[in-house]
Amino acid sequence: MNLFFRLLRIFLSSLFAGKHVGLLTQTTLNFRVWITDQDMFMHMTNSRYLSFGDLGTINYILRTGSWTQLRKRGWFPVICGQTMIISRMMAFPQKFELRSRVTGWDDAYVGLLHEFYSKGRKTAEVKVVAKFASTDRKTVAPDDMVALVDPGAVNPGLDQDFQDLIERIKLARS
């Protein structure tokens, strides 16, 4: 519930955003740390970075036009794994920018990077590995989703951090 108003803002702003961006385009959101984002040590609590990453993912899906296409087919993203690095803690009422982009994909997974910037400096990053599934519980290949949403997109490939995370996901599922 704490992020409800921010989520509502993202949905409403996407309605009036106009043209969709390509799948490999970075999307940006601007926020401010609220008192309710802090823990007892008076800085943004660790879990909030992941929650803001979720908002970044939602914004990205809306801005690229993927949401409409995914809903029509009963497809949805499933987060399979995440890593987080915080290099500088943020506190109320600090402003920050969240930059989100797809970094690449393989035959089953998509890598999504969320970077947090404040005062021009990177403060944190969240790396997300997701896959797509359908309402009938079948896996949707990332290439099928890309062909549907942005047929001209060329896969930049996943860097080693994402490949390692995918391997850890596969091990955990075996």
Side-chain angles (χ1 to χ4, degrees):
M1 185 65 182
N2 283 340
L3 298 178
F4 176 76
F5 293 109
R6 290 167 168 151
L7 177 63
L8 183 61
R9 184 190 100 200
I10 290 167
F11 268 101
L12 291 175
S13 66
S14 74
L15 289 174
F16 303 106
K19 187 178 176 196
H20 291 130
V21 299
L23 278 180
L24 299 176
T25 302
Q26 177 177 275
T27 60
T28 304
L29 289 168
N30 292 298
F31 294 107
R32 183 181 295 269
V33 178
W34 290 353
I35 291 173
T36 56
D37 298 324
Q38 297 185 123
D39 60 19
M40 61 191 230
F41 301 107
M42 303 310 288
H43 57 71
M44 193 158 82
T45 187
N46 300 343
S47 63
R48 193 61 95 202
Y49 290 90
L50 298 175
S51 296
F52 278 111
D54 286 344
L55 291 177
T57 299
I58 291 166
N59 182 61
Y60 175 83
I61 287 171
L62 291 168
R63 298 283 182 190
T64 59
S66 303
W67 187 59
T68 306
Q69 297 299 326
L70 294 172
R71 285 193 48 197
K72 283 181 187 176
R73 287 157 184 78
W75 297 352
F76 54 92
V78 178
I79 304 298
C80 301
Q82 299 181 89
T83 62
M84 175 178 58
I85 296 173
I86 302 169
S87 56
R88 289 176 186 79
M89 299 305 279
M90 295 188 291
F92 173 80
Q94 191 170 350
K95 292 180 183 181
F96 67 95
E97 181 179 81
L98 175 62
R99 302 174 188 173
S100 304
R101 64 183 170 88
V102 162
T103 62
W105 56 91
D106 67 8
D107 59 332
Y109 297 97
V110 175
L112 187 63
L113 177 63
H114 302 290
E115 296 175 302
F116 296 75
Y117 285 84
S118 182
K119 301 175 186 168
R121 298 177 74 182
K122 187 172 173 180
T123 63
E125 70 177 26
V126 174
K127 291 184 178 182
V128 179
V129 170
K131 66 179 185 175
F132 289 92
S134 62
T135 52
D136 59 1
R137 299 196 179 266
K138 293 184 180 168
T139 298
V140 176
D143 285 334
D144 293 342
M145 192 276 301
V146 171
L148 177 69
V149 176
D150 191 359
V154 177
N155 186 356
L158 293 167
D159 70 25
Q160 193 61 49
D161 285 349
F162 282 100
Q163 292 177 32
D164 292 345
L165 184 53
I166 289 169
E167 286 307 311
R168 290 179 24 221
I169 291 166
K170 289 177 180 177
L171 281 172
R173 291 181 174 206
S174 61

